[in-house]
Amino acid sequence: MIKKECLDIVQAKCENCQDCILGKTRNNVVFSDGNPETARIVLIGEAPGETEDETGKPFVGRAGKLLNQFLEEAGISRQDDLYIINTVKCRPPENRVPTDVEKALCERYLTAQIDIMNPQAIIFCGATSLKSFWSDKKVQISKVRGNWFDVTINGKTYKAMAIFHPSYLLRNHSIEEGSPRRLMQQDLAVIKSEILGDKMVCSTESHNQEMAMV
């Protein structure tokens, strides 16, 4: 059975899930985006927002559009290179952080997606997704981002890295050396080089002014 067929089975179960309160308030289950047959990287975000809840796709609001710009600049194809998911599949009210209970009840869908994808690398996008798999729940993403580490999920160990969530970058427009946006560029360049090989990458300098305006 191909990956998509396996994931479709998990998605059908997820769309019928009413295990937590989020199932009662959602408009749509936000299961995934990207091509599971070509993606070598699983990117895990926090939770769906308002636009994601309306469309049923992850990272399609303002933060998602900014993420798309960073990915394009790095030479990473959102549709072909990434399989994008969230720690929970339904939008928490008022876009609050999902609770530990909500994440625990949704974990079987998340880990099933990872098991089926068996990615070459996992990218934790933001602190919430990182803390879902990091033993020290007080970890600061600024202290660990940009470095490869191992994460074990369902008995299998994966290469992983944490990056800033694009919603954080919406509040930080600087592109100076050492700024969050510049660090995001550097982290994605490492991911592209070490996992995806030598694709053509747009000039960082040619995009910096545009990126600072978003």
Side-chain angles (χ1 to χ4, degrees):
M1 188 178 292
I2 63 174
K3 290 180 180 179
K4 184 179 185 305
E5 291 174 344
C6 295
L7 291 164
D8 285 346
I9 293 171
V10 178
Q11 182 171 358
K13 294 180 180 180
C14 185
E15 289 178 344
N16 289 318
C17 180
Q18 293 288 332
D19 286 353
C20 77
I21 192 173
L22 301 184
K24 297 175 175 60
T25 59
R26 71 182 182 228
N27 287 310
N28 286 292
V29 166
V30 181
F31 189 72
S32 67
D33 193 27
N35 185 341
E37 303 302 333
T38 61
R40 286 183 270 171
I41 298 170
V42 167
L43 184 145
I44 306 176
E46 176 180 297
E50 182 178 9
T51 307
E52 289 76 16
D53 181 51
E54 292 173 351
T55 62
K57 288 188 176 183
F59 285 104
V60 292
R62 287 184 64 217
K65 291 177 181 177
L66 181 58
L67 176 63
N68 291 345
Q69 290 186 38
F70 277 101
L71 292 173
E72 181 179 1
E73 180 185 275
I76 298 173
S77 169
R78 171 173 172 144
Q79 287 304 312
D80 295 329
D81 297 329
L82 302 181
Y83 182 72
I84 302 176
I85 57 180
N86 282 312
T87 58
V88 297
K89 311 307 181 190
C90 303
R91 179 197 181 196
E94 306 301 322
N95 292 348
R96 62 165 171 75
V97 175
T99 67
D100 290 342
V101 170
E102 290 161 354
K103 289 193 293 183
L105 290 171
C106 210
E107 183 178 0
R108 69 182 184 274
Y109 303 118
L110 174 63
T111 56
Q113 289 174 302
I114 296 169
D115 285 344
I116 293 167
M117 286 300 301
N118 191 26
Q120 292 182 25
I122 294 175
I123 305 304
F124 296 109
C125 188
T128 297
S129 63
L130 174 64
K131 291 177 182 179
S132 297
F133 294 92
W134 195 276
S135 57
D136 179 6
K137 303 308 178 185
K138 295 182 179 180
V139 62
Q140 296 181 10
I141 196 168
S142 60
K143 303 297 184 183
V144 300
R145 52 127 296 271
N147 297 303
W148 292 111
F149 55 89
D150 289 338
V151 59
T152 301
I153 302 171
N154 282 353
K156 182 173 175 58
T157 300
Y158 301 92
K159 185 175 185 176
M161 182 185 290
I163 62 173
F164 290 124
H165 196 284
S167 61
Y168 172 67
L169 302 180
L170 286 171
R171 306 189 296 272
N172 293 271
H173 291 264
S174 173
I175 54 169
E176 297 301 318
E177 191 68 32
S179 67
R181 290 198 177 206
R182 183 61 68 87
L183 295 175
M184 181 73 150
Q185 291 174 333
Q186 294 171 2
D187 294 347
L188 291 177
V190 170
I191 293 166
K192 180 264 173 187
S193 175
E194 296 191 18
I195 305 300
L196 300 174
D198 297 324
K199 288 185 177 181
M200 183 179 294
V201 182
C202 299
S203 168
T204 297
E205 293 302 323
S206 66
H207 283 266
N208 276 344
Q209 184 174 1
E210 178 184 351
M211 296 288 279
M213 298 299 292
V214 178

